[in-house]
């Protein structure tokens, strides 16, 4: 007899259920014969929705996600709306006898963590991509969860002691200071790098600091429109589709390079003589530069670039703080999981007791 198909890998399969989270890509290959009717998508980033199409997962399956994510799946991927189930943050729904609660993940707009409760082995938290912050320790759902030793499917993007970067509030304060410092010149054009979705807080913070509108192009405008209430009213009022109305422009991340800045400055030569680009990155500083400033300024003639370590993933210290708070019975690394020594090492790093570093520590 034929071997039964393998189950999906542990970092996308909710233990004790037939649910898959952010695991569309392997369908038909690694877990094609493992029937799953209820699929969950934590947010609209390609590495999580890749594999989701009009026909995958197949007819009869449902995709559960936040309202902004559902809107983006429909408008940008053409996913049929009757296959999407939008759930509001903070709301619980029951799927196949399991209570599922969506919590804000502090990642990109619409990104959620999902608590699965009512499973025989105990509750499970799927973080998707998330950035832990101290405020999460007061979230009633997470507080209740931490008392019950959940299994955690954890965003381990930066699960190494080298991954040290400042808290988001510090970085946003540095952006505010920088735009104010550079705005003495009335002929300066500010550029803010962004992805299809993500890093929006950086340009909204700058608009707020200068009391100005921020220009976004047609494609980004469609995305912001689809996000609905994930963008608050005050921020939404700063958006304009008129590039002449403001010197704050949102651009694709690639346009913050010096090569592209040169082209953009040439295009606007009658209006601007200086260009200042903000390039939000993830991990910019190594542990050795722990106390480095929250931005790095590089100038080439009339072009200035700020590298901004604005990450929407948890730093290593934040990951450890999250694990310490949750007291999980099991940690399932979602990123870089080799089902072997690398995964074991990540769990060891995340769960080791807090100790002052000493010379005998492993490197």
């Amino acid at each position: 007899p034929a071997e039964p198909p393998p189950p999906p890998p542990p970092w996308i399969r909710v233990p004790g259920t037939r649910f898959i989270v952010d695991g569309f890509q392997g369908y038909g290959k690694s877990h094609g014969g493992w029937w799953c009717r209820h699929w969950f998508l934590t947010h609209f980033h390609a590495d999580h929705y890749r594999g989701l199409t009009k026909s995958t997962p197949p007819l009869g399956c449902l995709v559960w996600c936040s309202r902004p994510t559902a809107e983006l799946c429909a408008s940008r991927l053409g996913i049929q709306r009757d296959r999407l189930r939008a759930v509001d943050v903070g709301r619980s729904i029951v799927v196949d006898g399991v209570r599922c609660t969506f919590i804000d993940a502090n990642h990109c707009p619409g990104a959620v963590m999902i608590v699965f409760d009512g499973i025989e082995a105990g509750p499970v938290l799927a973080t998707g991509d998330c950035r832990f912050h101290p405020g999460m320790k007061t979230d009633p759902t997470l507080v209740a969860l931490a008392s019950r030793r959940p299994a955690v499917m954890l965003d381990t993007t930066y699960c190494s002691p080298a991954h040290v970067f400042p808290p988001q509030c510090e970085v946003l304060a540095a952006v505010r200071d920088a735009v104010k410092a550079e705005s003495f010149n009335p002929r300066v054009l500010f550029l803010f790098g962004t992805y299809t979705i993500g890093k929006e807080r950086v340009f909204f913070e700058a608009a707020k600091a200068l009391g100005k509108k921020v220009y976004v192009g047609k494609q980004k405008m469609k995305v912001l429109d689809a996000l609905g209430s994930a963008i608050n009213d005050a921020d939404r009022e700063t958006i304009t589709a008129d590039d002449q109305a403001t010197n704050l422009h949102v651009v694709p991340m690639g346009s913050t390079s010096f090569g592209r800045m040169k082209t953009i400055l040439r295009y606007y030569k009658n209006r601007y003589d200086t260009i200042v680009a903000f390039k939000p990155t993830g991990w910019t500083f190594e542990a050795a530069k722990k106390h480095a400033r929250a931005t790095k300024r590089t100038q080439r003639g009339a072009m200035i670039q700020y590298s901004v370590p604005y990450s929407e993933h948890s730093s290593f210290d934040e990951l450890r703080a999250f694990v310490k708070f949750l007291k999980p019975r099991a940690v399932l690394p979602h990123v870089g999981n080799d089902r072997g020594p690398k995964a074991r090492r990540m769990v060891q790093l995340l769960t080791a007791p807090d100790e002052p570093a000493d010379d005998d520590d492993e490197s």
Side-chain angles (χ1 to χ4, degrees), residues 60-138:
C61 296
L62 298 174
V63 178
W64 300 81
C65 54
S66 70
R67 204 166 291 283
T69 300
E71 194 55 45
L72 288 165
C73 285
S75 61
R76 295 189 67 89
L77 301 180
I79 307 301
Q80 305 91 325
R81 288 182 187 271
D82 62 358
R83 295 174 62 219
L84 297 167
R85 293 291 181 272
V87 181
D88 292 316
V89 169
R91 188 177 152 216
S92 293
I93 44 142
V94 177
V95 180
D96 265 4
V98 176
R99 181 173 293 278
C100 310
T101 307
F102 283 32
I103 303 169
D104 183 78
N106 189 35
H107 184 59
C108 65
V112 294
M113 302 189 282
I114 308 169
V115 176
F116 298 93
D117 199 2
I119 301 165
E120 197 176 332
V124 177
L125 173 67
T127 67
D129 285 348
C130 73
R131 176 103 196 237
F132 178 71
H133 62 85
M136 288 181 180
K137 290 184 181 180
T138 59

Side-chain angles (χ1 to χ4, degrees), residues 123-276:
V124 177
L125 173 67
T127 67
D129 285 348
C130 73
R131 176 103 196 237
F132 178 71
H133 62 85
M136 288 181 180
K137 290 184 181 180
T138 59
D139 181 281
T141 306
L142 290 176
V143 170
L145 185 70
S147 68
R148 299 176 56 211
R149 304 206 62 225
V152 181
M153 302 160 72
L154 184 64
D155 171 15
T156 43
T157 299
Y158 289 132
C159 188
S160 159
H163 293 144
V164 176
F165 36 81
Q168 285 174 327
C169 56
E170 255 179 54
V171 178
L172 292 174
V175 169
R176 284 197 300 272
D177 292 346
V179 291
K180 286 176 182 172
E182 303 286 358
S183 63
F184 69 91
N185 175 2
R187 286 171 59 82
V188 64
L189 171 63
F190 291 103
L191 303 181
F192 299 91
T194 183
Y195 300 119
T196 300
I197 175 173
K199 316 286 187 181
E200 288 80 8
R201 270 182 236 166
V202 174
F203 61 78
F204 284 134
E205 201 63 40
K208 209 183 301 174
L210 298 182
K212 290 190 172 186
K213 297 270 189 191
V214 60
Y215 160 74
V216 302
K218 280 180 188 168
Q219 287 306 313
K220 185 69 178 181
M221 186 68 87
K222 283 181 188 170
V223 171
L224 294 176
D225 285 346
L227 289 172
S229 61
I231 304 293
N232 69 47
D233 291 344
D235 285 340
R236 200 168 280 286
E237 281 174 20
T238 66
I239 300 167
T240 177
D242 178 6
D243 72 329
Q244 306 284 313
T246 180
N247 64 335
L248 274 58
H249 290 196
V250 174
V251 294
M253 201 64 76
S255 295
T256 60
S257 70
F258 281 103
R260 288 288 297 128
M261 285 159 68
K262 194 173 183 179
T263 306
I264 293 166
L265 193 54
R266 200 179 300 130
Y267 178 81
Y268 285 114
K269 64 180 188 292
N270 295 329
R271 290 183 62 204
Y272 302 115
D273 60 20
T274 304
I275 197 161
V276 177

